[in-house]
Amino acid sequence: MGKLLLLTTALYAVPVSAQTDPGSADAPPPASEEESDDQDDGVDISAPGSDFGNEIIVQGRYIPDPVRNTASVVSVLSTEDIARSGDGDIAGALERVTGLSVDSGGFVYVRGLGDRYSQALLNGTPLPSPEPLKRVVPLNIFPTSVLASAVVQKSYSVNYPGEFGGGIINLTTAAIPEESFFSFGMGIGANSETTGQLGYTHYGSDTDWTGFDDGTRDIPPLLAAALKAGAPIQADGVNFTESDLQDIAASLVNASTTLVQSNDNIPVNWSADLSAGYSTIIGDGDQFGVLLNLGYSNDWFTRGAIEQTGGRSGLNRDGQSLRTDNNIVVSGLLGFGYEFGEHKIRWTNLYIRDSLKQTKLSAFDARSFGELDPTTPADAISQQTRWIERQLIDSLVVAEFDFGDFSMDLRGGYANSQREAPYERQITYEYDPIAQDYVNSLSGNPSGASIAFSDLNEDVWSGGIDLAYNLPTANTMVISAGYAYSDTSRSAVRRDFEYELLGGFPFPVQQERPDFLLSDFNIYGLYTPDDLTDGIYLQESGTQAGFQAYDASLKIHGVYAKIEAEIVPYVTVEAGVRYEDAKQLVLALDLFGTGNAPAPTNLANDYLLPAATVTWNFAENMQLRVNASKTIARPQFRELARPQYFDTDNDRLFFGNPNLVDSELFNAEGRFEWYFGDGERFSLAGFYKKIDNPIEPFSFVPTNSYQTTFLNAPKAQLYGAEVEIVKYVPLDSVFDGDFWASRRLVAIANYTFTDSQLKVGANDTVNAGVFGLTDPQPASFYFVDGAPLTGQSKHLVNLQLGMEDQDSLEQFTFLLRYASDRVTTRGQRTGAIPDPDFIEQPGLMVDFVARKGFTLFGAEMEAKFEARNIFGEDYRETQTGDIVVINNAYDLGSSFKFSLSAKF
């Protein structure tokens, strides 16, 4: 076989309590109807306990304000803001918000905190995640075409769930279109490292390109029956004989899931999007609308990576790989909206399916440090083939009733997420110097073959009611209260199998390619017809095989009360408290009835979570705000569950820690805002957080590959500052001529500085029984005092420079984003000599987006061109000790996309 060569947000914040008495002598003249229309951005937002639609008169009437009834720090992305960035998914658009960054999986980091400190809502209701290692949905699977707005709230208010660390991201789907329409668009794209280049793939099934398997990967009946037998699928002579296990091995689909094929010309990326809306007037001005959106994308990404494992003083494996991902996303949204009087009802149904077909070929060397020597064969080569289906179904109803001084919101929803990964295959060959070829003896050291099947299902039922009453007092005073309930249940199972030998295994057979090696011919030992005791069988692997399944549940009841009041002219207070009671259970299932399952995790806690915000609207275009609150962060199911899970993004094995406890946070913030022109603004903020028992990931190398688990650190603190400026320059003030009359330059810049530190005292301890040790253990054995929190970048920079036409659709924008190095996981620490942390280097990304609207045959057309990562910033994750270990490094390449859409 030979040597393998591889190788813009707008910040709006005017509290309802900033309203002044229009009859007072100090009150400014009320804004005219025309001025009010100019200020109303028409952003459609649905959030718990918030009425964003009221028109009020404030001293800061020059402050743009589509969210007039919140005293909290929020950033709002309207459809226009999202379109300016040109991002196809909401994760990319949110990356432009001050203090936000997005990791490679589409998970949002708020102020340098990981996804555990952020929460995503859809129309004010919680979303389950199809990702077993995450608490929130990867937002890159939300096409921007299905959304009306996105609100990021960074200061806590008690109408939101108590799990609030960095912020809440509330996505609002479109409800009623302004007019009936039909639009269709298609796009085509390429990546410099992928398109037309060498990559690997495997056949799979005929319908893989749709994101749906045609049944090829269904579990065969023999294996399905064995999985339900309640006994280990092993040759014990009682439940299963070796002959039974041979039949099971032969029943598995072989060549189409096993054979890796090279492709010298990886296809282009392409996408299609269809939207339709219907709006009609019923009776005396009531409005009914239907909105439909269908989306499809088919993207390819090839990464040629360096993959090393090691520690502070040495390297135990040096590898290179070439991996090709084919990612297919199918989405659909069907929404119904009804507005009557001041009331609105919306019923939103969302479907998103994200399928990943992954093929990887790697070579690794356990003998020396440095890149693989092309003149000598690698110690071993390995191939991996995977098909992973993620699916989210969400149906929710929101009714918003406005009775003047009294308002009531009702919410109810059901969501289901699934993750299925059938036929996860890995096959490894080792180099035989005598034969000068790669062979697979199925010995498992290192040559061998394995297959795994995993399934996850999660249901979320949620409901809530929010009430608000505007008291008839001289000064504005609003009291509100509400109740929210959520019930989340998850079931997950993973079964791992290895191919084992019966009798002899001739050397020529060991040299066969993978699909021949695992063929029925070899499984039944026909390579030695005179000895029918030879052959290959399949059996369950791992000492924890019977406990690789778990059930989990989380039930939360929350009630809150708050008041917004003007205590003196132009100074308002929003204060409230939330009581939240939660019961969380993670139960490891004893699949084989051994009675030795790990003890279940039961977390039953209740909290009083106060929050207060004071806003001083001291000028018509300026305001100052301070906020303080207490919040929590609960462990995720996967962080508590002992069953193992293989993360395909970084090739690491994860398992949970049943001893984790909730994290408790104290948050404080101060912010100054200055709106110095039409749509122009400057803001400056400082923030501080103290976290008790923060949860940190921990990676170590028990053999030759990384495993990751989780521990509670004793304490952490975080502080930082944000600054943002938005400035427009009319070009007719610089150039003469009609061409420049409606055009202007746009400059949007924001910078966030964040410093976080773990706090580890001499007498602090941690529960490290997950490593097989006796608890408690000294915290200093695992955490370094002063180390930064995982996922936290000290510096985040976003810059947009562009030109746009105010009278027509025409935008040309350069987008720059920079995130400084951040820790992805802690290195192994066992005593005085710790391994270094894993450091990710996001670096500088430079994009360009151009959009142009025009009319063709009576249709409104839009052409868009996108260039992403123009300067080819690469991905790099390392450990730096006595040597530098390159855990994962690959070229991202530059991506280009052209799309064209028509609206009728």
Side-chain angles (χ1 to χ4, degrees):
M1 297 175 65
K3 169 72 177 178
L4 175 66
L5 297 178
L6 302 173
L7 346 254
T8 237
T9 68
L11 181 65
Y12 304 115
V14 181
V16 65
S17 48
Q19 178 178 349
T20 61
D21 182 358
S24 69
D26 295 332
S32 67
E33 184 176 346
E34 181 179 353
E35 288 175 327
S36 297
D37 290 342
D38 290 342
Q39 292 181 51
D40 185 5
D41 288 354
V43 182
D44 186 12
I45 300 170
S46 178
S50 299
D51 181 0
F52 295 98
N54 291 346
E55 286 291 339
I56 61 173
I57 300 170
V58 295
Q59 166 160 317
R61 66 185 184 277
Y62 298 123
I63 302 175
D65 185 27
V67 286
R68 297 183 186 274
N69 279 11
T70 179
S72 305
V73 180
V74 298
S75 295
V76 177
L77 281 174
S78 66
T79 53
E80 290 78 10
D81 299 321
I82 295 169
R84 175 179 288 113
S85 69
D87 295 287
D89 60 74
I90 194 60
L94 285 171
E95 198 165 18
R96 323 298 180 185
V97 176
T98 310
L100 268 64
S101 62
V102 180
D103 72 3
S104 59
F107 300 94
V108 176
Y109 291 77
V110 181
R111 287 175 171 167
L113 294 167
D115 81 287
R116 79 174 65 255
Y117 299 107
S118 301
Q119 186 169 176
L121 307 176
L122 184 66
N123 294 344
T125 61
L127 279 170
S129 177
E131 281 293 337
L133 286 175
K134 302 292 184 179
R135 184 170 63 88
V136 297
V137 172
L139 297 182
N140 60 355
I141 65 176
F142 277 92
T144 55
S145 57
V146 306
L147 299 175
S149 68
V151 174
V152 180
Q153 181 164 322
K154 302 175 191 174
S155 65
Y156 179 63
S157 56
V158 297
N159 51 297
Y160 279 113
E163 282 198 80
F164 189 106
I168 287 280
I169 300 168
N170 184 63
L171 308 178
T172 300
T173 56
I176 299 177
E178 295 181 2
E179 59 183 13
S180 299
F181 72 93
F182 174 81
S183 67
F184 178 76
M186 294 193 69
I188 187 170
N191 176 273
S192 61
E193 293 294 322
T194 302
T195 311
Q197 305 294 320
L198 171 67
Y200 293 117
T201 187
H202 62 284
Y203 184 77
S205 79
D206 292 334
T207 58
D208 284 358
W209 66 275
T210 68
F212 295 84
D213 176 79
D214 66 1
T216 297
R217 299 181 180 89
D218 289 349
I219 297 178
L222 281 177
L223 178 58
L227 292 172
K228 297 177 181 178
I233 303 177
Q234 296 176 344
D236 56 9
V238 178
N239 296 290
F240 300 97
T241 66
E242 292 174 341
S243 178
D244 294 334
L245 301 182
Q246 283 181 290
D247 292 339
I248 292 175
S251 71
L252 297 176
V253 175
N254 184 21
S256 59
T257 63
T258 304
L259 183 61
V260 171
Q261 299 172 301
S262 64
N263 186 334
D264 294 327
N265 189 14
I266 293 296
V268 299
N269 302 327
W270 67 283
S271 61
D273 185 271
L274 181 150
S275 295
Y278 172 74
S279 180
T280 185
I281 302 298
I282 301 175
D284 297 330
D286 296 348
Q287 190 173 8
F288 174 77
V290 180
L291 184 68
L292 172 69
N293 178 274
L294 300 174
Y296 172 86
S297 66
N298 190 322
D299 295 330
W300 296 81
F301 180 47
T302 298
R303 57 178 67 172
I306 298 174
E307 298 175 332
Q308 299 174 341
T309 61
R312 172 172 295 278
S313 57
L315 188 79
N316 60 18
R317 192 170 84 163
D318 182 24
Q320 293 182 12
S321 68
L322 192 68
R323 165 182 141 188
T324 300
D325 291 351
N326 184 201
N327 192 221
I328 302 101
V329 178
V330 179
S331 66
L333 179 141
L334 179 62
F336 302 91
Y338 181 49
E339 293 185 7
F340 52 105
E342 298 299 320
H343 315 305
K344 177 186 290 187
I345 298 176
R346 71 176 86 205
W347 178 25
T348 304
N349 301 277
L350 179 67
Y351 176 81
I352 298 176
R353 184 180 180 87
D354 185 353
S355 300
L356 174 65
K357 186 176 184 177
Q358 186 179 96
T359 312
K360 180 178 179 180
L361 199 60
S362 58
F364 57 88
D365 194 338
R367 298 172 302 181
S368 61
F369 173 72
E371 293 189 3
L372 295 176
D373 183 355
T375 63
T376 61
D379 285 350
I381 58 174
S382 181
Q383 70 165 54
Q384 297 170 4
T385 55
R386 295 188 176 95
W387 172 260
I388 300 172
E389 304 167 350
R390 303 182 300 177
Q391 181 173 285
L392 174 65
I393 300 173
D394 193 26
S395 181
L396 56 99
V397 177
V398 178
E400 300 164 349
F401 301 104
D402 186 352
F403 302 100
D405 289 335
F406 175 74
S407 65
M408 177 175 65
D409 291 354
L410 298 173
R411 301 172 186 277
Y414 167 75
N416 171 264
S417 66
Q418 298 179 19
R419 182 188 189 274
E420 295 182 29
Y423 283 90
E424 289 188 80
R425 287 188 180 272
Q426 179 165 339
I427 302 173
T428 302
Y429 288 74
E430 60 182 313
Y431 185 74
D432 187 309
I434 298 177
Q436 296 185 358
D437 196 3
Y438 287 93
V439 300
N440 191 335
S441 61
L442 297 180
S443 64
N445 188 28
S447 66
S450 64
I451 188 170
F453 297 82
S454 61
D455 184 41
L456 178 147
N457 186 84
E458 181 169 297
D459 294 304
V460 178
W461 294 92
S462 61
I465 180 172
D466 299 280
L467 306 171
Y469 180 60
N470 191 349
L471 295 174
T473 56
N475 294 332
T476 299
M477 184 177 296
V478 178
I479 58 173
S480 57
Y483 165 77
Y485 169 76
S486 67
D487 183 353
T488 304
S489 60
R490 171 184 287 189
S491 61
V493 62
R494 177 183 174 91
R495 305 292 289 267
D496 291 86
F497 303 91
E498 292 180 348
Y499 288 86
E500 305 285 352
L501 283 179
L502 286 168
F505 203 43
F507 194 79
V509 178
Q510 299 177 35
Q511 295 176 282
E512 292 179 345
R513 72 187 199 188
D515 59 326
F516 289 173
L517 181 76
L518 302 178
S519 65
D520 294 0
F521 184 87
N522 289 341
I523 286 173
Y524 289 112
L526 299 180
Y527 48 79
T528 53
D530 296 333
D531 186 355
L532 297 182
T533 61
D534 288 347
I536 302 171
Y537 66 96
L538 191 74
Q539 75 171 3
E540 203 134 18
S541 61
T543 58
Q544 297 293 317
F547 311 119
Q548 288 294 88
Y550 69 94
D551 287 340
S553 65
L554 174 62
K555 295 182 180 180
I556 303 174
H557 297 270
V559 294
Y560 74 88
K562 71 172 181 175
I563 185 170
E564 298 177 55
E566 183 184 21
I567 55 175
V568 297
Y570 314 134
V571 177
T572 64
V573 173
E574 179 196 72
V577 64
R578 184 181 187 90
Y579 172 77
E580 204 162 272
D581 175 86
K583 292 180 172 59
Q584 188 172 13
L585 169 68
V586 176
L587 176 65
L589 301 182
D590 188 355
L591 297 178
F592 306 147
T594 64
N596 297 320
T601 298
N602 279 290
L603 296 177
N605 296 304
D606 60 339
Y607 300 95
L608 282 175
L609 304 172
T613 302
V614 178
T615 302
W616 180 22
N617 185 200
F618 61 89
E620 289 187 341
N621 59 356
M622 296 182 188
Q623 59 185 15
L624 183 67
R625 180 168 45 241
V626 293
N627 169 272
S629 64
K630 290 184 66 176
T631 56
I632 57 173
R634 298 184 178 92
Q636 302 163 27
F637 288 147
R638 276 299 302 131
E639 294 170 344
L640 291 167
R642 286 304 301 266
Q644 298 176 341
Y645 166 73
F646 193 81
D647 184 4
T648 59
D649 193 54
N650 54 32
D651 284 347
R652 288 175 198 154
L653 194 68
F654 286 76
F655 62 94
N657 179 359
N659 297 316
L660 296 178
V661 297
D662 295 352
S663 303
E664 300 183 42
L665 297 88
F666 170 76
N667 316 282
E669 177 168 6
R671 177 176 292 266
F672 165 74
E673 298 162 8
W674 174 28
Y675 297 84
F676 55 85
D678 183 13
E680 298 176 319
R681 64 189 179 274
F682 170 82
S683 66
L684 178 65
F687 53 88
Y688 169 81
K689 295 181 184 293
K690 181 174 74 72
I691 310 175
D692 293 334
N693 301 311
I695 299 172
E696 294 282 282
F698 231 90
S699 291
F700 58 100
V701 189
T703 53
N704 60 2
S705 61
Y706 287 113
Q707 294 187 21
T708 301
T709 189
F710 307 90
L711 292 178
N712 283 109
K715 296 181 185 299
Q717 72 173 19
L718 178 147
Y719 64 88
E722 295 177 349
V723 61
E724 180 182 35
I725 187 168
V726 177
K727 177 64 178 175
Y728 301 108
V729 179
L731 289 176
D732 59 0
S733 64
V734 181
F735 304 102
D736 294 328
D738 294 339
F739 177 81
W740 306 104
S742 59
R743 290 172 170 81
R744 63 181 182 179
L745 291 179
V746 180
I748 303 173
N750 58 67
Y751 166 70
T752 302
F753 168 81
T754 308
D755 185 84
S756 65
Q757 296 180 358
L758 295 176
K759 297 296 182 180
V760 183
N763 297 321
D764 287 332
T765 60
V766 297
N767 291 325
V770 69
F771 295 114
L773 303 174
T774 302
D775 286 331
Q777 293 285 314
S780 59
F781 282 11
Y782 301 91
F783 299 101
V784 173
D785 185 56
L789 285 166
T790 54
Q792 180 261 313
S793 290
K794 182 169 286 190
H795 305 283
L796 296 173
V797 180
N798 290 301
L799 175 64
Q800 296 185 36
L801 296 173
M803 181 183 73
E804 65 181 16
D805 192 330
Q806 295 176 271
D807 293 341
S808 64
L809 176 57
E810 180 182 285
Q811 295 175 340
F812 304 93
T813 309
F814 282 97
L815 305 108
L816 296 85
R817 61 188 187 275
Y818 170 77
S820 61
D821 296 355
R822 59 194 178 208
V823 177
T824 55
T825 182
R826 308 249 80 99
Q828 182 179 9
R829 290 175 169 82
T830 51
I833 305 178
D835 277 353
D837 291 334
F838 293 50
I839 306 297
E840 179 184 57
Q841 301 169 345
L844 175 68
M845 296 287 184
V846 179
D847 303 337
F848 174 74
V849 178
R851 302 173 65 226
K852 177 66 176 179
F854 58 96
T855 301
L856 183 65
F857 302 119
E860 298 178 21
M861 308 291 293
E862 179 186 342
K864 181 166 68 176
F865 172 75
E866 305 168 48
R868 305 289 182 179
N869 194 23
I870 295 173
F871 297 110
E873 183 76 28
D874 59 7
Y875 178 85
R876 188 176 178 89
E877 183 191 54
T878 61
Q879 288 177 282
T880 302
D882 298 337
I883 62 172
V884 176
V885 177
I886 304 174
N887 309 111
N888 200 5
Y890 52 87
D891 292 332
L892 293 168
S894 301
S895 297
F896 305 91
K897 182 178 181 180
F898 176 78
S899 59
L900 185 66
S901 62
K903 182 177 181 180
F904 304 92

mmCIF file of all heavy atoms in Angstrom, residues 228-255:
data_model
loop_
_atom_site.group_PDB
_atom_site.id
_atom_site.type_symbol
_atom_site.label_atom_id
_atom_site.label_comp_id
_atom_site.label_asym_id
_atom_site.label_seq_id
_atom_site.Cartn_x
_atom_site.Cartn_y
_atom_site.Cartn_z
ATOM 1 N N LYS A 228 -31.287 -5.846 21.770
ATOM 2 C CA LYS A 228 -32.405 -5.873 22.712
ATOM 3 C C LYS A 228 -32.351 -7.077 23.654
ATOM 4 O O LYS A 228 -33.252 -7.253 24.486
ATOM 5 C CB LYS A 228 -33.727 -5.899 21.941
ATOM 6 C CG LYS A 228 -33.971 -4.659 21.096
ATOM 7 C CD LYS A 228 -35.269 -4.793 20.291
ATOM 8 C CE LYS A 228 -35.505 -3.571 19.417
ATOM 9 N NZ LYS A 228 -36.752 -3.715 18.599
ATOM 10 N N ALA A 229 -31.317 -7.894 23.532
ATOM 11 C CA ALA A 229 -31.275 -9.152 24.282
ATOM 12 C C ALA A 229 -30.996 -8.960 25.763
ATOM 13 O O ALA A 229 -31.199 -9.883 26.557
ATOM 14 C CB ALA A 229 -30.230 -10.088 23.670
ATOM 15 N N GLY A 230 -30.477 -7.800 26.142
ATOM 16 C CA GLY A 230 -30.171 -7.553 27.541
ATOM 17 C C GLY A 230 -28.932 -8.268 28.029
ATOM 18 O O GLY A 230 -28.795 -8.535 29.224
ATOM 19 N N ALA A 231 -28.049 -8.608 27.118
ATOM 20 C CA ALA A 231 -26.809 -9.298 27.470
ATOM 21 C C ALA A 231 -25.695 -8.764 26.579
ATOM 22 O O ALA A 231 -25.951 -8.270 25.475
ATOM 23 C CB ALA A 231 -26.954 -10.805 27.286
ATOM 24 N N PRO A 232 -24.445 -8.843 27.046
ATOM 25 C CA PRO A 232 -23.337 -8.401 26.192
ATOM 26 C C PRO A 232 -23.303 -9.211 24.896
ATOM 27 O O PRO A 232 -23.495 -10.435 24.922
ATOM 28 C CB PRO A 232 -22.088 -8.670 27.044
ATOM 29 C CG PRO A 232 -22.587 -8.790 28.441
ATOM 30 C CD PRO A 232 -23.969 -9.337 28.349
ATOM 31 N N ILE A 233 -23.081 -8.529 23.811
ATOM 32 C CA ILE A 233 -22.975 -9.229 22.529
ATOM 33 C C ILE A 233 -21.545 -9.746 22.426
ATOM 34 O O ILE A 233 -20.664 -9.149 21.787
ATOM 35 C CB ILE A 233 -23.353 -8.288 21.368
ATOM 36 C CG1 ILE A 233 -24.771 -7.751 21.594
ATOM 37 C CG2 ILE A 233 -23.280 -9.020 20.036
ATOM 38 C CD1 ILE A 233 -25.228 -6.767 20.547
ATOM 39 N N GLN A 234 -21.310 -10.841 23.106
ATOM 40 C CA GLN A 234 -19.991 -11.466 23.189
ATOM 41 C C GLN A 234 -20.154 -12.975 23.152
ATOM 42 O O GLN A 234 -21.211 -13.507 23.507
ATOM 43 C CB GLN A 234 -19.257 -11.034 24.470
ATOM 44 C CG GLN A 234 -18.943 -9.542 24.506
ATOM 45 C CD GLN A 234 -18.298 -9.111 25.810
ATOM 46 O OE1 GLN A 234 -18.330 -9.833 26.808
ATOM 47 N NE2 GLN A 234 -17.713 -7.925 25.806
ATOM 48 N N ALA A 235 -19.096 -13.637 22.727
ATOM 49 C CA ALA A 235 -19.160 -15.098 22.576
ATOM 50 C C ALA A 235 -19.011 -15.764 23.933
ATOM 51 O O ALA A 235 -17.928 -16.190 24.331
ATOM 52 C CB ALA A 235 -18.064 -15.552 21.620
ATOM 53 N N ASP A 236 -20.135 -15.864 24.666
ATOM 54 C CA ASP A 236 -20.098 -16.488 25.987
ATOM 55 C C ASP A 236 -20.643 -17.911 25.965
ATOM 56 O O ASP A 236 -20.662 -18.599 26.988
ATOM 57 C CB ASP A 236 -20.892 -15.650 26.991
ATOM 58 C CG ASP A 236 -22.337 -15.421 26.560
ATOM 59 O OD1 ASP A 236 -22.772 -16.046 25.574
ATOM 60 O OD2 ASP A 236 -23.011 -14.599 27.205
ATOM 61 N N GLY A 237 -21.122 -18.358 24.798
ATOM 62 C CA GLY A 237 -21.656 -19.702 24.693
ATOM 63 C C GLY A 237 -23.027 -19.869 25.303
ATOM 64 O O GLY A 237 -23.609 -20.952 25.229
ATOM 65 N N VAL A 238 -23.566 -18.831 25.913
ATOM 66 C CA VAL A 238 -24.893 -18.898 26.534
ATOM 67 C C VAL A 238 -25.874 -18.036 25.756
ATOM 68 O O VAL A 238 -26.875 -18.512 25.220
ATOM 69 C CB VAL A 238 -24.836 -18.449 28.008
ATOM 70 C CG1 VAL A 238 -26.237 -18.474 28.628
ATOM 71 C CG2 VAL A 238 -23.879 -19.324 28.801
ATOM 72 N N ASN A 239 -25.572 -16.765 25.712
ATOM 73 C CA ASN A 239 -26.447 -15.854 24.971
ATOM 74 C C ASN A 239 -26.081 -15.817 23.485
ATOM 75 O O ASN A 239 -26.960 -15.723 22.629
ATOM 76 C CB ASN A 239 -26.345 -14.450 25.563
ATOM 77 C CG ASN A 239 -26.848 -14.381 26.994
ATOM 78 O OD1 ASN A 239 -28.030 -14.501 27.258
ATOM 79 N ND2 ASN A 239 -25.911 -14.193 27.937
ATOM 80 N N PHE A 240 -24.781 -15.867 23.214
ATOM 81 C CA PHE A 240 -24.318 -15.806 21.834
ATOM 82 C C PHE A 240 -23.158 -16.771 21.647
ATOM 83 O O PHE A 240 -22.263 -16.865 22.494
ATOM 84 C CB PHE A 240 -23.842 -14.386 21.470
ATOM 85 C CG PHE A 240 -24.907 -13.332 21.602
ATOM 86 C CD1 PHE A 240 -24.987 -12.551 22.746
ATOM 87 C CD2 PHE A 240 -25.836 -13.137 20.582
ATOM 88 C CE1 PHE A 240 -25.961 -11.584 22.874
ATOM 89 C CE2 PHE A 240 -26.818 -12.165 20.708
ATOM 90 C CZ PHE A 240 -26.888 -11.386 21.853
ATOM 91 N N THR A 241 -23.188 -17.466 20.541
ATOM 92 C CA THR A 241 -22.057 -18.293 20.152
ATOM 93 C C THR A 241 -21.210 -17.521 19.146
ATOM 94 O O THR A 241 -21.633 -16.495 18.598
ATOM 95 C CB THR A 241 -22.527 -19.610 19.527
ATOM 96 O OG1 THR A 241 -23.208 -19.310 18.282
ATOM 97 C CG2 THR A 241 -23.486 -20.340 20.461
ATOM 98 N N GLU A 242 -20.041 -18.027 18.877
ATOM 99 C CA GLU A 242 -19.191 -17.390 17.876
ATOM 100 C C GLU A 242 -19.847 -17.421 16.509
ATOM 101 O O GLU A 242 -19.708 -16.485 15.714
ATOM 102 C CB GLU A 242 -17.826 -18.076 17.852
ATOM 103 C CG GLU A 242 -17.025 -17.840 19.126
ATOM 104 C CD GLU A 242 -15.739 -18.644 19.169
ATOM 105 O OE1 GLU A 242 -15.654 -19.632 18.399
ATOM 106 O OE2 GLU A 242 -14.839 -18.304 19.956
ATOM 107 N N SER A 243 -20.594 -18.466 16.250
ATOM 108 C CA SER A 243 -21.307 -18.546 14.978
ATOM 109 C C SER A 243 -22.376 -17.458 14.882
ATOM 110 O O SER A 243 -22.563 -16.845 13.822
ATOM 111 C CB SER A 243 -21.945 -19.932 14.824
ATOM 112 O OG SER A 243 -22.687 -20.000 13.616
ATOM 113 N N ASP A 244 -23.084 -17.203 16.002
ATOM 114 C CA ASP A 244 -24.072 -16.113 16.024
ATOM 115 C C ASP A 244 -23.408 -14.786 15.681
ATOM 116 O O ASP A 244 -23.944 -13.980 14.907
ATOM 117 C CB ASP A 244 -24.730 -16.006 17.405
ATOM 118 C CG ASP A 244 -25.577 -17.219 17.752
ATOM 119 O OD1 ASP A 244 -26.068 -17.888 16.809
ATOM 120 O OD2 ASP A 244 -25.740 -17.492 18.955
ATOM 121 N N LEU A 245 -22.238 -14.560 16.272
ATOM 122 C CA LEU A 245 -21.557 -13.281 16.078
ATOM 123 C C LEU A 245 -20.968 -13.168 14.675
ATOM 124 O O LEU A 245 -20.798 -12.054 14.175
ATOM 125 C CB LEU A 245 -20.471 -13.106 17.138
ATOM 126 C CG LEU A 245 -20.978 -13.135 18.584
ATOM 127 C CD1 LEU A 245 -19.848 -12.894 19.567
ATOM 128 C CD2 LEU A 245 -22.095 -12.112 18.797
ATOM 129 N N GLN A 246 -20.659 -14.297 14.060
ATOM 130 C CA GLN A 246 -20.267 -14.264 12.655
ATOM 131 C C GLN A 246 -21.434 -13.821 11.781
ATOM 132 O O GLN A 246 -21.276 -12.998 10.868
ATOM 133 C CB GLN A 246 -19.759 -15.635 12.201
ATOM 134 C CG GLN A 246 -18.348 -15.973 12.649
ATOM 135 C CD GLN A 246 -17.919 -17.320 12.135
ATOM 136 O OE1 GLN A 246 -18.423 -18.368 12.581
ATOM 137 N NE2 GLN A 246 -16.990 -17.332 11.187
ATOM 138 N N ASP A 247 -22.610 -14.343 12.071
ATOM 139 C CA ASP A 247 -23.799 -13.963 11.292
ATOM 140 C C ASP A 247 -24.094 -12.469 11.455
ATOM 141 O O ASP A 247 -24.472 -11.785 10.487
ATOM 142 C CB ASP A 247 -25.004 -14.784 11.735
ATOM 143 C CG ASP A 247 -24.877 -16.258 11.382
ATOM 144 O OD1 ASP A 247 -24.083 -16.581 10.475
ATOM 145 O OD2 ASP A 247 -25.566 -17.082 12.015
ATOM 146 N N ILE A 248 -23.939 -11.965 12.674
ATOM 147 C CA ILE A 248 -24.173 -10.533 12.898
ATOM 148 C C ILE A 248 -23.167 -9.707 12.097
ATOM 149 O O ILE A 248 -23.524 -8.704 11.452
ATOM 150 C CB ILE A 248 -24.084 -10.201 14.397
ATOM 151 C CG1 ILE A 248 -25.258 -10.834 15.145
ATOM 152 C CG2 ILE A 248 -24.052 -8.702 14.616
ATOM 153 C CD1 ILE A 248 -25.189 -10.671 16.651
ATOM 154 N N ALA A 249 -21.894 -10.122 12.121
ATOM 155 C CA ALA A 249 -20.869 -9.395 11.368
ATOM 156 C C ALA A 249 -21.179 -9.402 9.879
ATOM 157 O O ALA A 249 -21.006 -8.393 9.178
ATOM 158 C CB ALA A 249 -19.495 -10.002 11.629
ATOM 159 N N ALA A 250 -21.655 -10.531 9.377
ATOM 160 C CA ALA A 250 -21.948 -10.644 7.948
ATOM 161 C C ALA A 250 -23.181 -9.842 7.555
ATOM 162 O O ALA A 250 -23.342 -9.484 6.377
ATOM 163 C CB ALA A 250 -22.134 -12.111 7.572
ATOM 164 N N SER A 251 -24.070 -9.550 8.507
ATOM 165 C CA SER A 251 -25.301 -8.832 8.176
ATOM 166 C C SER A 251 -25.080 -7.338 7.984
ATOM 167 O O SER A 251 -25.944 -6.636 7.450
ATOM 168 C CB SER A 251 -26.348 -9.055 9.272
ATOM 169 O OG SER A 251 -26.003 -8.364 10.464
ATOM 170 N N LEU A 252 -23.930 -6.820 8.434
ATOM 171 C CA LEU A 252 -23.671 -5.388 8.327
ATOM 172 C C LEU A 252 -23.352 -5.008 6.884
ATOM 173 O O LEU A 252 -22.679 -5.754 6.161
ATOM 174 C CB LEU A 252 -22.495 -5.000 9.227
ATOM 175 C CG LEU A 252 -22.706 -5.210 10.734
ATOM 176 C CD1 LEU A 252 -21.437 -4.874 11.491
ATOM 177 C CD2 LEU A 252 -23.865 -4.370 11.244
ATOM 178 N N VAL A 253 -23.847 -3.840 6.485
ATOM 179 C CA VAL A 253 -23.512 -3.318 5.156
ATOM 180 C C VAL A 253 -22.006 -3.071 5.124
ATOM 181 O O VAL A 253 -21.453 -2.399 5.998
ATOM 182 C CB VAL A 253 -24.290 -2.027 4.871
ATOM 183 C CG1 VAL A 253 -23.843 -1.424 3.558
ATOM 184 C CG2 VAL A 253 -25.786 -2.306 4.870
ATOM 185 N N ASN A 254 -21.343 -3.571 4.099
ATOM 186 C CA ASN A 254 -19.889 -3.556 4.103
ATOM 187 C C ASN A 254 -19.291 -2.491 3.191
ATOM 188 O O ASN A 254 -18.938 -1.403 3.622
ATOM 189 C CB ASN A 254 -19.352 -4.939 3.737
ATOM 190 C CG ASN A 254 -17.841 -5.023 3.825
ATOM 191 O OD1 ASN A 254 -17.216 -4.228 4.501
ATOM 192 N ND2 ASN A 254 -17.259 -5.976 3.126
ATOM 193 N N ALA A 255 -19.197 -2.779 1.902
ATOM 194 C CA ALA A 255 -18.388 -1.952 1.007
ATOM 195 C C ALA A 255 -18.821 -0.488 0.990
ATOM 196 O O ALA A 255 -17.993 0.425 1.024
ATOM 197 C CB ALA A 255 -18.416 -2.525 -0.413
#
